[in-house]
Each structure stands twice: as C-alpha cells, then as structure tokens.
Amino acid sequence: MSAAPRKLRPLRLALAGFGSAGRQFAERLLGVYGRELRARGFEPRVTGIATARHGLAVDRSGLPLRKALALVRADRGLAPLHKGAALRSTLEFVRTVPADVLFEITPLEPQT
C-alpha cells in the first residue's frame, strides 16, 4: 500500500519589484525554487506583485505567474490579473497584500 501524498502548506509570497531581478526570481519560483519549496512541504503562491512601471496586482488565491511574466515582457500592465479593490500605491499594496513573505526587489539608487 502506498503512502498518501503529503499535503503541502501554502506559502503566500508578494513581490515588490518586478524588473529584471524580480522576473528572474519569479521564473525560478516556477522552476528550481518552487521544486525545492515543495520538497520541503510548501506550495509557493504569489499573491501580489507591485511594480512602478506595470502597476499592481493582487489575488489572494494566487496570481498566474506565467501570465504576469508574459504581460510584463510585452510591456503591458498587470491590471488584468488584479482581483479586489483598486490600490493607489505600493505602500497600500504592502499594507494589504495577503502574504506570509514580502520580497522587496526594487532598484537601489545609492545617490537618492
């Protein structure tokens, strides 16, 4: 008799920043990072993405990460993926996104 599959615990992730580094992180979540998290009992789910250039998107059930990547690569906004009330700022995003972990991956400008 085979063992029942282990139930994975959801791990809700939010990304503040979705430029080159943020998109590479997302791609790895779809690949090696996601596999490693699942091996350790977690099911990663990106519940929010905030960008200066492409807007904000939140979905408490999880954003379709491949679609988010495709929209940004096509220089389109993330608005079609957003579920819920409109968010006016990244600060409002940080305060309201349903996430266990928030990754801040915004550009560093030491001069400012």
Side-chain angles (χ1 to χ4, degrees):
M1 183 171 213
S2 65
R6 179 172 50 152
K7 181 160 173 59
L8 300 177
R9 295 185 325 218
L11 179 62
R12 301 170 306 165
L13 309 172
L15 309 177
F18 207 56
S20 178
R23 290 191 309 269
Q24 285 189 9
F25 180 78
E27 288 169 358
R28 284 175 175 79
L29 272 176
L30 293 169
V32 65
Y33 293 174
R35 284 190 300 273
E36 187 63 29
L37 285 166
R38 284 187 289 281
R40 295 177 184 273
F42 296 98
E43 181 59 48
R45 181 180 308 151
V46 175
T47 55
I49 299 172
T51 74
R53 187 169 173 193
H54 297 100
L56 309 164
V58 173
D59 184 343
R60 68 182 320 100
S61 65
L63 293 166
L65 207 45
R66 282 185 175 82
K67 182 155 183 138
L69 286 163
L71 285 170
V72 170
R73 283 189 195 113
D75 203 25
R76 297 182 54 205
L78 295 173
L81 305 180
H82 183 71
K83 306 280 195 263
L87 300 172
R88 294 178 297 268
S89 69
T90 302
L91 182 57
E92 188 176 359
F93 169 86
V94 169
R95 287 180 175 154
T96 62
V97 67
D100 302 307
V101 180
L102 171 69
F103 290 91
E104 190 273 331
I105 320 168
T106 58
L108 173 65
E109 296 197 30
Q111 309 312 324
T112 60

